[in-house]
Amino acid sequence: MSAPIKTPAAETLPHRAGLAGLASDWASDQRTFKNVSWGKAMMWIFLLSDTFVFGCFLLAYMAARMSTIVPWPNPSEVFALEIAGTHMPLILIAIMTFVLISSSGTMAMAVNCGYRRDRRKTAILMLVTALFGATFVGMQAFEWSKLIAEGVRPWGNPWGAAQFGSSFFMITGFHGTHVTFGVIFLLIVARKIWRGDFDTERRGFFTSRKGRYEIVEITGLYWHFVDLVWVFIFAFFYLW
């Protein structure tokens, strides 16, 4: 049997014996992710798991829609608005999509400013991104209240297949919850940056750890994921 190959990690990180070694193996991130920080790696794992959840929701929606023998409500009519006497199909959804896609642009600019340690521009762009996200959630709340007033419920609706309401509230509600948490996270990080916490290495209130500008990039990963998911929801739920 050939001798095991010694890696640089094995030379620089000697293995401890007993329970101390077991705890070190499970707790250390320096051996598993050599070139990626622990926070960024955990965000990627979270986004991967969330991809499966959203994927299951959309697959369940497509299965329900293709299996029902009752006509499915026409999205162009259900999500239309009457503005100045003009019937405008999907106008609110189009504006919501534009707002959310625009927020991805400001978030990308915030990450770029974060790389350059431009505290003022990073904080402002993150606040603008949060404003876009809050606007999206507000329009989604208006959409929900409108449909509820028209009689849409998780168990039925006036226009067709009963599964329409449950699919709509489940998918858009889950996505809206993600956007809401993203807005809260954006505001918290923007406040830390504006206050100069990362420049002065001020310790966090909950974690007691020093923050870094890398959190801007991690927040950007989450925000771009939320925007990407909306594109699929828009295509499958509103345009199909």
Side-chain angles (χ1 to χ4, degrees), residues 210-223:
K210 298 175 184 177
R212 295 183 299 173
Y213 275 94
E214 185 191 39
I215 193 65
V216 180
E217 183 182 2
I218 295 175
T219 308
L221 288 174
Y222 176 84
W223 195 257

Side-chain angles (χ1 to χ4, degrees), residues 22-216:
L22 180 64
S24 177
D25 288 343
W26 281 89
S28 175
D29 60 329
Q30 298 301 320
R31 300 179 187 180
T32 307
F33 305 106
K34 298 299 293 183
N35 300 316
V36 180
S37 71
W38 187 248
K40 196 182 295 183
M42 290 300 100
M43 177 55 73
W44 276 113
I45 292 174
F46 169 76
L47 296 182
L48 180 62
S49 64
D50 231 18
T51 300
F52 286 119
V53 175
F54 274 109
C56 289
F57 280 175
L58 289 176
L59 286 174
Y61 157 71
M62 288 188 286
R65 180 161 178 174
M66 289 188 292
S67 61
T68 181
I69 58 175
V70 181
W72 195 264
N74 184 359
S76 297
E77 297 299 326
V78 173
F79 299 106
L81 291 180
E82 293 287 339
I83 300 177
T86 304
H87 186 72
M88 306 187 72
L90 295 175
I91 181 64
L92 180 63
I93 311 303
I95 297 173
M96 290 169 61
T97 304
F98 175 78
V99 168
L100 205 58
I101 297 301
S102 299
S103 73
S104 263
T106 56
M107 188 69 238
M109 294 168 66
V111 172
N112 187 30
C113 292
Y115 285 142
R116 292 187 275 109
R117 305 290 194 272
D118 192 330
R119 182 171 63 86
R120 183 181 176 84
K121 288 184 179 178
T122 304
I124 291 175
L125 287 168
M126 293 191 77
L127 289 175
V128 172
T129 305
L131 179 62
F132 277 132
T135 304
F136 176 88
V137 174
M139 288 191 289
Q140 194 171 53
F142 171 79
E143 180 191 35
W144 271 47
S145 60
K146 174 180 175 293
L147 291 184
I148 291 173
E150 292 174 349
V152 178
R153 300 290 186 273
W155 52 87
N157 63 84
W159 307 294
Q163 297 92 331
F164 172 82
S166 57
S167 301
F168 170 77
F169 289 122
M170 178 182 66
I171 295 174
T172 62
F174 194 62
H175 178 266
T177 303
H178 277 67
V179 178
T180 302
F181 280 116
V183 169
I184 295 172
F185 202 57
L186 282 167
L187 293 176
I188 293 174
V189 176
R191 180 174 178 269
K192 286 177 174 290
I193 295 173
W194 185 267
R195 202 167 54 181
D197 288 8
F198 300 157
D199 299 317
T200 60
E201 297 187 343
R202 179 174 178 171
R203 294 186 179 275
F205 178 75
F206 290 107
T207 62
S208 298
R209 298 178 63 180
K210 298 175 184 177
R212 295 183 299 173
Y213 275 94
E214 185 191 39
I215 193 65
V216 180

